């Protein structure tokens, strides 16, 4: 089955952990605007980037995704 990611939980996870977007952008070596796009669900990170975000936030990739029924 194909997993279609239309939404992510990056915003919620950052809030839960008290982490700022600018910190995540720095860790990912991406611009604040790029990370803000992910957080606001205007853009979706690549699978590789999603794994990197999960690793940085010390959570599983599944915790970053909202599964579509």
């Amino acid at each position: 089955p194909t997993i279609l990611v239309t939404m992510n939980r990056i915003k919620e996870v950052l809030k839960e952990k008290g982490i700022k977007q600018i910190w995540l952008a720095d860790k990912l070596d991406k611009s604040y605007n790029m990370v803000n796009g992910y957080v606001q669900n205007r853009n979706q990170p690549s699978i590789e980037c999603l794994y990197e975000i999960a690793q940085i936030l010390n959570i599983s990739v599944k915790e970053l995704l909202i599964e579509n029924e």
Side-chain angles (χ1 to χ4, degrees):
T2 307
I3 297 174
L4 184 67
V5 179
T6 54
M7 299 284 283
N8 68 62
R9 294 188 62 251
I10 298 171
K11 184 181 204 163
E12 290 86 342
V13 174
L14 290 177
K15 196 173 189 174
E16 286 164 18
K17 294 185 172 277
I19 293 172
K20 301 236 179 281
Q21 291 178 40
I22 193 86
W23 179 87
L24 182 59
D26 186 53
K27 290 284 181 204
L28 289 169
D29 200 28
K30 293 193 183 299
S31 71
Y32 172 81
N33 285 344
M34 177 76 80
V35 170
N36 185 257
Y38 300 159
V39 170
Q40 301 300 334
N41 276 295
R42 285 191 310 269
N43 309 87
Q44 292 304 323
S46 66
I47 296 295
E48 293 82 1
C49 185
L50 213 51
Y51 273 91
E52 200 179 340
I53 292 168
Q55 190 177 12
I56 289 167
L57 297 178
N58 202 25
I59 59 171
S60 76
V61 172
K62 282 185 178 175
E63 289 179 79
L64 288 175
L65 303 178
I66 297 169
E67 293 200 35
N68 295 342
E69 295 302 317

